[in-house]
Amino acid sequence: RKLLINNISEINNAWIITDPNKNFDIHGLYDIKIQLNDNVKKENFNKIIEKTKKLLNNNRILCTDYGGIKILEKDIVSITANIEIDSFYVGEEILAKIFVDIENRLNSKVKSVGFEYFEDMETSPLEIFQGLKTTNGVILDKNLNDKTNQIYVSEIIEIIKRIEGVAKVENFQIYKNGIKIFDDIITFSENTYPSLESHEQYFSKNSISNIIFFRNNFKYTIDKVIFYQIYDSISSEDKIAILNKYKGNPIPKGRFKI
């Protein structure tokens, strides 16, 4: 997974799995599921698959082989709700946190850390640099999450309720690819991944999502400019420090001890 995520810029995430549906038992045979960045066009899919095959074959370990490579499709999750907020909070900040927190639960991004992450840890350079060589920071094993295959609707409601400043959530409805969900569990197939409707889509005329805020019994109108400022700030804070300022530079002397 680290090999693919680090070396192919179009890949946002990847999963290497054994196919439970195969009728034969062959150890060391894996299927590849890849999630691409949102800006990748379909006409480039075959090129990315070929790049993936070449990279895997060049780094294949003994007694392993790879079957199919599948590019996952996106299941878009949309929500509607009436949300009452406390008097001392602004709706733009709460809406921004809704987007960030729900998307992190549905489709958490693989985060890389810079060398500064290890400064206060008793970690040797051998531990930091063991395994795959990466050029965009160190990918921690704990940041490689499983793909979300299902989620409870009640869990998404709880995510919103836990946001500071939210007093009440009413008339909550959730949609998958425009279809209203009536069960408490939303499932996603092995060939799809969930993603919250983007904030760009949310503010468009074609949006299914519709979150209405109330403060002091009055409807609260969201200011898009303020929302984007807060959203960009929260998104930046949410990211673990990525290796940018150290990229291509040697490690300063005295930073680590063996």
Side-chain angles (χ1 to χ4, degrees), residues 55-167:
L55 181 63
L56 289 172
N57 288 331
N58 288 343
N59 293 273
R60 185 171 62 88
I61 61 176
L62 292 175
C63 301
T64 63
D65 202 356
Y66 302 101
I69 298 175
K70 176 68 176 179
I71 294 178
L72 301 181
E73 297 180 4
K74 181 192 293 187
D75 280 332
I76 299 177
V77 175
S78 308
I79 61 176
T80 64
N82 294 342
I83 299 178
E84 183 179 333
I85 64 177
D86 291 335
S87 301
F88 300 101
Y89 290 84
V90 294
E92 290 82 2
E93 181 176 5
I94 293 174
L95 181 60
K97 289 180 178 178
I98 287 174
F99 274 102
V100 171
D101 292 354
I102 294 180
E103 181 65 12
N104 281 342
R105 174 60 184 87
L106 292 175
N107 181 32
S108 61
K109 303 297 186 292
V110 178
K111 301 180 179 70
S112 302
V113 301
F115 297 134
E116 69 276 11
Y117 176 84
F118 302 97
E119 282 184 338
D120 297 325
M121 301 181 183
E122 294 183 359
T123 307
S124 71
L126 292 177
E127 293 177 274
I128 296 173
F129 296 107
Q130 67 180 345
L132 175 72
K133 178 183 178 181
T134 60
T135 57
N136 296 306
V138 180
I139 301 175
L140 304 177
D141 290 340
K142 68 178 183 179
N143 289 340
L144 293 172
N145 297 322
D146 294 335
K147 184 178 80 70
T148 300
N149 292 319
Q150 67 175 34
I151 189 171
Y152 286 92
V153 174
S154 55
E155 184 178 352
I156 295 180
I157 296 174
E158 285 303 313
I159 290 174
I160 297 175
K161 286 182 175 180
R162 287 198 298 266
I163 295 174
E164 190 175 355
V166 172

Side-chain angles (χ1 to χ4, degrees), residues 110-114 116 136-137 239-246:
V110 178
K111 301 180 179 70
S112 302
V113 301
E116 69 276 11
N136 296 306
K239 295 177 182 177
I240 297 177
I242 297 177
L243 179 59
N244 283 325
K245 60 181 179 179
Y246 294 102

Side-chain angles (χ1 to χ4, degrees), residues 228-252:
Y228 279 116
Q229 291 174 343
I230 296 175
Y231 177 83
D232 291 341
S233 175
I234 293 175
S235 298
S236 299
E237 291 174 0
D238 181 66
K239 295 177 182 177
I240 297 177
I242 297 177
L243 179 59
N244 283 325
K245 60 181 179 179
Y246 294 102
K247 187 175 180 180
N249 297 324
I251 304 174

